[in-house]
């Protein structure tokens, strides 16, 4: 088992030991893909880790954008988290019902907003339940707490920055989508998007970073995944995926192995695949 790090990833054993800490705040960031036929908020209301608040990724986003769940403004992030009773001085642990999927996106959002005391629960709700830890269906008691936000603009990239990085080759671009989508062999789930990948990017399917139980692989195995992908981690890294969610799993894995110079392309393929003036590559490279 990987060592617990309250700034990156913690185990279910760590969370169980700290569950009653007064400054612990737990977030359920479950998000299901369209067509899954599941209601994330409804499942949260039925059973969640004691004290958990529900973090709605689609709601706490930039409503001015036509792209899915883009990062919110600092003001919106602060106000929504304050209303949830999450703020300065809190240790936050975020989980999801998949194991490790959408929780990494919320970890990245907190980091983007300058918050360092946030960790993903390794293995998420499935591992918590499998080990017999408690859940509840009660709403948490919420008390306002101010949150100080200092947006870290270097942690997010837009289409213009990614296009320049692709052309110049001065960044390593890693794509978390399935290999079939990266190659252009599988259709995109969103209508109107071209098939393929950003030229010069490398395929690192997020599932390759995880064990069968939804926990993250250890450092040696993570490095092996990046090596097999031909990822040059000496360059600054930009992560991408379908809509900026699973890309954050790569960011999380990079920090797990001590690679700190990384950013996320927030528009990801939902933007790039629809943008008519940027090139698209197909195949393995």
């Amino acid at each position: 088992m990987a060592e617990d790090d309250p700034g990156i990833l913690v185990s279910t054993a760590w969370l169980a030991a700290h569950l009653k800490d007064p400054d612990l705040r737990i977030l359920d960031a479950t998000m299901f893909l369209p067509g899954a036929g599941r209601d994330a908020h409804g499942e949260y209301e039925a059973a969640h880790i004691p004290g958990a608040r529900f973090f709605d990724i689609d709601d706490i986003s930039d409503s001015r954008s036509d792209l899915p769940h883009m990062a919110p403004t600092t003001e919106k992030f602060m106000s929504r988290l304050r209303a949830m009773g999450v703020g300065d001085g809190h240790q936050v642990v975020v989980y999801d019902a998949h194991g490790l999927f959408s929780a990494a996106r919320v970890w990245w959002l907190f980091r983007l907003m300058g918050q360092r005391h946030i960790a993903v629960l390794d293995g998420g709700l499935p591992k918590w339940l499998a080990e017999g830890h408690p859940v509840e269906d009660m709403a948490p008691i919420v008390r306002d707490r101010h949150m100080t936000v200092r947006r870290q603009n270097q942690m997010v990239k837009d289409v213009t920055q990614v296009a320049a990085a692709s052309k110049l080759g001065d960044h390593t671009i890693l794509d978390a989508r399935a290999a079939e989508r990266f190659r252009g062999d599988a259709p995109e789930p969103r209508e109107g998007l071209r098939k393929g990948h950003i030229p010069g990017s490398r395929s690192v399917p997020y599932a390759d970073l995880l064990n069968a139980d939804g926990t993250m692989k250890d450092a040696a195995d993570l490095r092996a995944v990046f090596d097999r992908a031909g990822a040059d981690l000496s360059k600054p890294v930009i992560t991408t995926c379908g809509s900026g969610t699973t890309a954050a799993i790569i960011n999380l894995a990079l920090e797990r192995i001590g690679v700190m110079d990384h950013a996320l392309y927030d528009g990801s393929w939902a933007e790039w695949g629809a943008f008519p003036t940027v090139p698209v590559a197909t195949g393995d490279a």
Side-chain angles (χ1 to χ4, degrees):
M1 181 180 292
E3 182 181 351
D4 291 309
D5 185 335
I8 304 175
L9 196 69
V10 295
S11 65
T12 48
W14 185 96
L15 182 58
H18 292 270
L19 197 58
K20 296 187 183 300
D21 288 4
D23 284 327
L24 178 73
R25 293 294 180 270
I26 305 171
L27 301 178
D28 182 328
T30 300
M31 181 179 73
F32 295 116
L33 296 175
R38 296 178 67 179
D39 176 4
H41 190 261
E43 291 188 20
Y44 159 81
E45 289 184 324
H48 53 261
I49 295 176
R53 286 93 161 126
F54 185 73
F55 189 106
D56 189 329
I57 291 174
D58 285 320
D59 177 60
I60 307 176
S61 65
D62 186 355
S63 56
R64 303 166 302 178
S65 176
D66 293 332
L67 294 168
H69 42 255
M70 294 286 281
T73 63
T74 55
E75 293 79 13
K76 184 173 185 178
F77 185 84
M78 281 191 297
S79 66
R80 293 299 174 87
L81 269 294
R82 181 169 186 166
M84 293 165 66
V86 180
D88 294 341
H90 285 150
Q91 169 65 52
V92 180
V93 174
V94 58
Y95 72 90
D96 61 56
H98 299 272
L100 209 169
F101 180 69
S102 48
R105 169 73 186 189
V106 174
W107 170 84
W108 173 80
L109 270 179
F110 270 71
R111 288 299 195 85
L112 177 66
M113 299 300 175
Q115 300 293 314
R116 304 292 298 183
H117 301 292
I118 170 119
V120 172
L121 179 64
D122 200 19
L125 186 61
K127 192 168 189 291
W128 182 264
L129 292 173
E131 294 170 351
H133 297 297
V135 291
E136 65 183 18
D137 58 4
M138 297 180 293
I141 298 171
V142 173
R143 298 181 179 87
D144 263 25
R145 177 79 72 97
H146 174 73
M147 176 179 281
T148 303
V149 170
R150 299 182 181 89
R151 185 179 166 101
Q152 307 297 303
N153 288 323
Q154 76 280 5
M155 291 197 67
V156 64
K157 300 295 183 185
D158 62 23
V159 66
T160 303
Q161 293 168 312
V162 177
S166 170
K167 184 176 181 179
L168 296 173
D170 56 354
H171 288 68
T172 293
I173 305 173
L174 302 179
D175 191 324
R177 293 175 302 155
E180 295 81 7
R181 289 173 65 190
F182 179 88
R183 291 194 300 265
D185 294 338
E188 285 296 312
R190 290 180 176 82
E191 289 187 15
L193 300 185
R194 295 172 291 171
K195 296 191 291 184
H197 59 265
I198 299 168
S201 61
R202 299 285 182 167
S203 177
V204 182
Y206 78 88
D208 290 357
L209 303 171
L210 306 178
N211 297 307
D213 64 353
T215 56
M216 183 163 278
K217 291 181 175 178
D218 64 27
D221 287 340
L222 291 176
R223 290 189 185 95
V225 171
F226 290 122
D227 286 345
R228 285 196 299 272
D232 183 356
L233 301 185
S234 68
K235 296 179 182 179
V237 178
I238 299 172
T239 67
T240 183
C241 61
S243 63
T245 299
T246 58
I249 299 173
I250 301 181
N251 297 82
L252 188 72
L254 290 170
E255 290 225 353
R256 203 64 178 144
I257 63 173
V259 176
M260 309 304 286
D261 192 356
H262 57 82
L264 185 147
Y265 173 26
D266 204 13
S268 283
W269 199 253
E271 180 176 43
W272 191 279
F275 219 89
T277 59
V278 293
V280 168
T282 56
D284 288 319

